[in-house]
Amino acid sequence: MNEKPMNAKDITIVMTKQLKETIRNRANKESPNEICFVIGGHLSKSDTHCRFLTTNVFFPEPDDYEIQHGGACRLNPEYLQRVLLYCAENQLHIIYAHTHPFAGGLPHESSTDLDAAAYMPAAISEACPGMLVMTMVASADFEGIEAHVYRPSLKRRDPIDKLLVCERGKLDMLYPTSSVLRDAEAEMDEDYVSRLA
């Protein structure tokens, strides 16, 4: 079992339905190619939880890719550097994300993704001190994700527990493929969910 140290808070990604639809529409527009995108946001912390409140999404244009096809995508370093500089200047934390168009509903990181994850989040974290860095792979319809947060003090990545999609009067909860809560019969904290809603 992957136990977290005492100082590692559970992290939940919170986004509006409108932002989710924006990502889904862009993925559909560029299908069957994979797309990369960067989600920016702010943190809301309590003693036990850390919520990543999404505020921005940055989509590259075709010229911003080194590689883009149905099985892979990679951004030009210059484009990624511009996005990271903007996020650092505006005190945004980030999720570096891409789609797996043919993965179905439960995407998993590929061997290429795992190779990149071994150095990329640490490199971004070192270049942008104080920035929380997450990685995400998503299905093309954005109904399934796998997401991890890089913890610089521990030099490792941990799974993200939940993705909450909110709209007025409604809250949908998605459990990432890698979430320890996905198969557990854990009861939802009703007070926590209603406060967020």
Side-chain angles (χ1 to χ4, degrees), residues 114-179:
L114 291 171
D115 288 345
Y119 66 87
M120 196 215 17
I124 294 173
S125 182
E126 187 175 329
C128 304
M131 180 183 286
L132 187 71
V133 180
M134 290 175 269
T135 55
M136 176 189 291
V137 59
S139 59
D141 62 4
F142 209 68
E143 291 301 323
I145 66 166
E146 181 173 18
H148 294 84
V149 59
Y150 178 69
R151 300 192 188 273
S153 61
L154 303 172
K155 299 190 183 314
R156 73 171 197 214
R157 294 188 317 145
D158 287 333
I160 298 293
D161 298 314
K162 299 181 274 299
L163 167 65
L164 295 174
V165 180
C166 53
E167 58 182 312
R168 186 177 294 276
K170 188 177 179 191
L171 194 66
D172 290 326
M173 188 173 303
L174 301 176
Y175 293 109
T177 306
S178 55
S179 173

Side-chain angles (χ1 to χ4, degrees), residues 1-194:
M1 184 170 170
N2 183 17
E3 289 189 25
K4 293 179 185 172
M6 293 294 285
N7 63 348
K9 298 181 182 194
D10 292 334
I11 295 183
T12 300
I13 300 168
V14 183
M15 71 172 50
T16 63
K17 185 174 182 182
Q18 181 180 2
L19 185 67
K20 180 185 174 188
E21 291 301 316
T22 298
I23 294 169
R24 185 204 312 258
N25 291 340
R26 185 63 177 250
N28 286 336
K29 178 182 172 187
E30 297 197 35
S31 182
N33 289 331
E34 285 191 12
I35 67 165
C36 290
F37 51 100
V38 176
I39 300 171
H42 297 283
L43 301 181
S44 172
K45 299 178 184 178
S46 70
D47 290 341
T48 57
H49 288 87
C50 178
R51 288 173 290 281
F52 178 83
L53 308 175
T54 61
T55 57
N56 303 68
V57 61
F58 305 91
F59 294 113
E61 295 305 321
D63 290 346
D64 297 321
Y65 285 97
E66 278 188 354
I67 297 171
Q68 186 189 26
H69 53 73
C73 60
R74 184 170 62 237
L75 295 174
N76 284 323
E78 297 82 11
Y79 173 79
L80 183 56
Q81 187 175 22
R82 285 197 310 272
V83 171
L84 292 176
L85 183 59
Y86 175 90
C87 290
E89 288 175 347
N90 290 279
Q91 299 180 339
L92 296 173
H93 305 275
I94 67 155
I95 304 172
Y96 181 85
H98 70 283
T99 59
H100 280 182
F102 304 112
L106 298 175
H108 289 279
E109 292 178 323
S110 67
S111 57
T112 303
D113 298 334
L114 291 171
D115 288 345
Y119 66 87
M120 196 215 17
I124 294 173
S125 182
E126 187 175 329
C128 304
M131 180 183 286
L132 187 71
V133 180
M134 290 175 269
T135 55
M136 176 189 291
V137 59
S139 59
D141 62 4
F142 209 68
E143 291 301 323
I145 66 166
E146 181 173 18
H148 294 84
V149 59
Y150 178 69
R151 300 192 188 273
S153 61
L154 303 172
K155 299 190 183 314
R156 73 171 197 214
R157 294 188 317 145
D158 287 333
I160 298 293
D161 298 314
K162 299 181 274 299
L163 167 65
L164 295 174
V165 180
C166 53
E167 58 182 312
R168 186 177 294 276
K170 188 177 179 191
L171 194 66
D172 290 326
M173 188 173 303
L174 301 176
Y175 293 109
T177 306
S178 55
S179 173
V180 295
L181 302 176
R182 173 173 263 294
D183 297 320
E185 293 184 14
E187 291 187 19
M188 211 180 287
D189 182 338
E190 296 297 336
D191 289 338
Y192 171 69
V193 170
S194 63

